[in-house]
Structures are given as C-alpha cells and as structure tokens.
Amino acid sequence: MGEILSEYDVLGAFWVTIQLSVLSAIGSLLIGTVMAVLRVSPVAVLRLIGTSYVNIVRNTPLTLLMAFSVLGLSFILGLQLSDQATTNSYWWAVIMLSIYHGAFVCEALRSGVNTIPPGQAEAARAMGLTFGQSLSQVLLPQAFRGAIAPLGSTLIALIKNTTVAAVILGTAEAAGQLAEITENEGASLPTFFLFALGFVILTLPLGILFTNLSQRLSVKR
Amino acid sequence: MTTRRMMVAAAAVLALGLSACGSDDPETDTGAGGDSEAEGLKVGIKYDQPGLGLKQGSEFTGLDVDVATYVAKELGVEAGDIEFIQAPSAQRETLIETGQVDMVVATYSITDARKEKISFAGPYFIAGQDLLVRSDDTSITGPDTLDGKKLCSVTGSTSAQKVKETVPGVNLQEFGTYSECVAALASGAIDALTTDDTILAGYAAQEQYKGKLKVVGQPFSEERYGIGLKKGDTAQCQKITDAIKKMISDGEWQKIVDKNLGPANYKAGAGNPPTPDACA
C-alpha cells in the first residue's frame, strides 16, 4: 500500500478530481439556474427550450456525452479547446459534466420553486414587480433554500461522476490513475478500497453538511 | 519418429492434465480419468480485439483463440468443450486467482509484477509496441519522429506509459478503448495509435480500414505473450509449455500466425517463434 502511494501520484489524481468537481459544480449551477428560470418563465417558447434541454441531456449517458465531446465535437467539428490533447479533454470533461448535471440542478431548482405557494408570485406581481424582479427577489432565494437537499445529492453524484472523465482524460484523475495501477500491479482489493476511501472522504462530509443546511435553511411555513 | 514420441507425450500430458484439473476443481471432479471427452476447459480471452481474440455472434476468432484451441487439444479437450470467457485486461489476474477460468490467453504480457500473483506458461508469441498510422503518412517512421504529432492510446495501458517515457512531452490522447483511437486516426484527428503491433495489425486488417491504415514496423518494446495460470501450478504449466513447443515445431504456429495476422501484411518480429520459458 505504501509502495503504491509513493510510486503513483494518488493525491495528485484526487486533486484533479476535486478541480473537475468544483469547476463543473459552478458550471452546472449556472446552466441549471438559467434552465430553471426558462422552465418557469411565462413564455411558452422559453419553457419548451428548458424542457427539451432537461429531457435530452438527462436521458443521455454521460459516457456517451464524454466520447461525443472529444470524438465528435473536438475531432470532427474541430472545436479544439487546446492544442494539447490532455488539456483539451480536461476542459471538455468540465463542459460535459456541467451540461449533464445542469439538467439535474435545473430540476432540483424547479422543485424548489414549486414548493413556494403560488400566492407569493401573485402577490409579487400585484405589487408591480416584473418577472425578473419577482424571480430574483422572491422566488429564487426561497427555491435555493428549499432545494438544498436535492442540490447536495446532485453535487455528490457529480463528484463520483468525474470518474467517467477517464474515458477521455487518461490517467490524470482518480479513475484513470486506478486503471494505470491495475495495469501495472494487477487488480487488488486494497488499492480499490484506497480509491473508494478517497471518494468517501470527499463525499461523506458534504452529505452531512447538506443535510444540516437543508434543516437550518428550510423555509418555515 | 519424433511425432510418435510426441504423441505418447501428449497422451501422458492428457491423462495428467485431466487428473490435475479434477483434483483442484471439485465441481468437475467426475472421476473421468483419462477419458478424452470428460470435461471442458474455461479459457479467458479478449472479446474485442480483431486478429487476436474477437467474438462475433457466437463465433470466436483470432490468434489467441487458435492458440488456446490447440493447447486445449493437447490437454485432451476438444474444441467444442472449450468455454471462452471474456477476460478484460484489468480482470485477468482476478479471474485466474478466483478460479473462474482455467487459463487466460488474452494478449497477456509476462511481467514480474503479474508473476507475483499468477504463473505463466510460454511465451507463445513475441509482440512489440509499434505505431499505426494512415497509409499515406510518410512522416512517422518510429518513436523518434513523433515530435509535434498527436498520439492515441488506452487510458493507463502499458503502451501509454511506455510512450510517455520514450517520447517526453508527447501529445497523447487517451481513450477507454482502442476502437475510439482507430476511428479518430481514420478520420485524421490524430496522427498515430500506439500499442502492441499484433493489436494494430488486427485493426489494420479490418474490413472498414483495409488499405487506409498501416503498421510502421519499428517495434520499440518487447511484449512476451504468455498463457496465464493459477500460481504454482507447475504441472499444468509444463504440459502447456510442451504443447506450445509442439505447436511451433509442427508448423501449426506459423499457420495460426499467417491466418490471423497475415491479412494485414504483418510479419512476426524478431524473436519469433519464441522459445517458451522453463516452468518455475
């Protein structure tokens, strides 16, 4: 075990996993919020765009999205984000993780919006607030607070889904590193558990934090 | 004369083989003794490598499949009694250690790290890491001409690690499988694919890539393919080693190589046919 830790950059691999998680979490939160706004907007076309996005992305396997990003978008359509293959794959992985989890964030937020009694939106409109104002002042703050638990689940799923990036990213992140160790040293249970432990360390505190937050921040009605 | 002696040896091998298998595998221990149609053999192979181990429908083809069939015959198992099981690279040791397969013939390079967990018989073939490029590409002639070229290999594979060592700063794209690399190579998005020349030859010979891709032919490593066995099973190892030796001496080896790798104009490299190591 010590041998594996000294010979391979396991911590470096987990650092890349953390980078991917943080960048994609930010990306997916942005995409998800925009899509959630579209889905609750009063304009039918915008609602259709939001709904189509969620239904298409949510039902496409992440592995497929990853392979498509590099093989299809990058290699065939020429959308290179960098001349270096690894950097190119890295940013495509961030983009695809953001797009994929954006759909889940959107649905979590929409469920948050749906917890708010319709009277509040009507009251906001009666006070003369525009759609944008009622969204940013009344609906979204409450929606985030109500959706904190499903958002936490999505974040945890995202952290674990970064391993799918190994199909395009190579050995930089944790799953790819595990593949390399398995290739050289043979499959071994202790190594497997070491990596599993790494993900437990990353996700367990988050799970506890989000449960806690959801209780403290929930909107008392 | 030699043939007769070989046959006697083979018969002895067969009898021993069956009793040995019977004793360490309670499920199949039916007291079959020397009966040649007594029990099957579970062989781990690759399912997805054209020319080496490929499953198409219920048909298995490839060099590894033919070697396994030949060796099994020498052990007294008819072709119909062989059960082929998929052995992806990462699971090969586990499949052997847990007894889910009796042997693994799956482009399995003999290495010291692996020898700590399992035993090898062979090598039955010596491959080398090489480059696959588009047929019209004359700029790549070996690892030292890879500067500024885009290269592809499989995540974490020995070939990927080796090329990073040989060509520092190489622009390497890693994918989950070789098929993705081949597709990208054919489309022109990458310049070369690197792994064992046998695997490359298999892809170059595939119908859809015929004439479009070529193997460079400058191997820069030595991969000795062996047959993986349960650790310490010297008796079985000895029998398989004898079978490999016989396969090479009676010309069957050459036939198998020509049949499976010939279509890609692949010539077995230096060191072939190999001399199997002694069983330890």
Side-chain angles (χ1 to χ4, degrees), chain A residues 8 67 70-71 75-76 80 82-86 88-89 166-172 175-177 179-188, chain B residues 89-94 97 111 113-114 117 150-151 155-159 161 164 169-176 180 183-184 187 189-190:
Chain A
Y8 299 94
V70 171
L71 280 174
F75 283 178
I76 294 174
Q80 297 275 2
S82 160
D83 280 341
Q84 274 299 317
T86 38
N88 184 45
S89 302
V167 300
I168 57 169
L169 190 50
T171 54
Q177 182 84 89
E180 179 171 318
I181 295 174
T182 306
E183 169 86 10
N184 294 352
E185 319 285 336
S188 83
Chain B
S89 295
Q91 290 169 27
R92 291 177 296 201
E93 290 87 21
T94 315
E97 283 176 317
T111 66
R114 287 172 183 159
K117 302 190 166 195
K150 235 181 219 167
L151 202 60
T155 303
S157 64
T158 313
S159 322
Q161 296 173 44
K164 280 184 206 163
V170 67
N171 197 354
L172 181 70
Q173 169 72 48
E174 289 177 78
F175 279 128
E180 285 156 331
S187 76
I190 59 156

Side-chain angles (χ1 to χ4, degrees), chain B residues 67-198:
Chain B
V67 168
T69 311
Y70 186 93
V71 168
K73 198 176 87 211
E74 293 299 308
L75 296 176
V77 180
E78 289 301 315
D81 292 330
I82 304 171
E83 189 189 342
F84 287 112
I85 291 168
Q86 187 173 20
S89 295
Q91 290 169 27
R92 291 177 296 201
E93 290 87 21
T94 315
L95 285 170
I96 296 171
E97 283 176 317
T98 55
Q100 293 175 68
V101 297
D102 297 316
M103 60 165 92
V104 164
V105 194
T107 63
Y108 207 0
S109 300
I110 302 175
T111 66
D112 289 338
R114 287 172 183 159
K115 272 189 196 162
E116 282 171 22
K117 302 190 166 195
I118 58 150
S119 291
F120 281 104
Y124 62 89
F125 195 86
I126 294 180
Q129 186 173 353
D130 210 326
L131 300 162
L132 184 72
V133 296
R134 286 182 294 279
S135 307
D136 53 2
D137 191 338
T138 49
S139 61
I140 300 176
T141 51
D144 41 349
T145 53
L146 286 174
D147 244 4
K149 300 286 182 186
K150 235 181 219 167
L151 202 60
C152 191
S153 198
V154 161
T155 303
S157 64
T158 313
S159 322
Q161 296 173 44
K162 175 95 186 168
V163 82
K164 280 184 206 163
E165 252 170 54
T166 319
V167 191
V170 67
N171 197 354
L172 181 70
Q173 169 72 48
E174 289 177 78
F175 279 128
T177 64
Y178 291 115
S179 315
E180 285 156 331
C181 285
V182 181
L185 176 64
S187 76
I190 59 156
D191 302 310
L193 157 58
T194 182
T195 183
D196 299 357
D197 49 8
T198 45

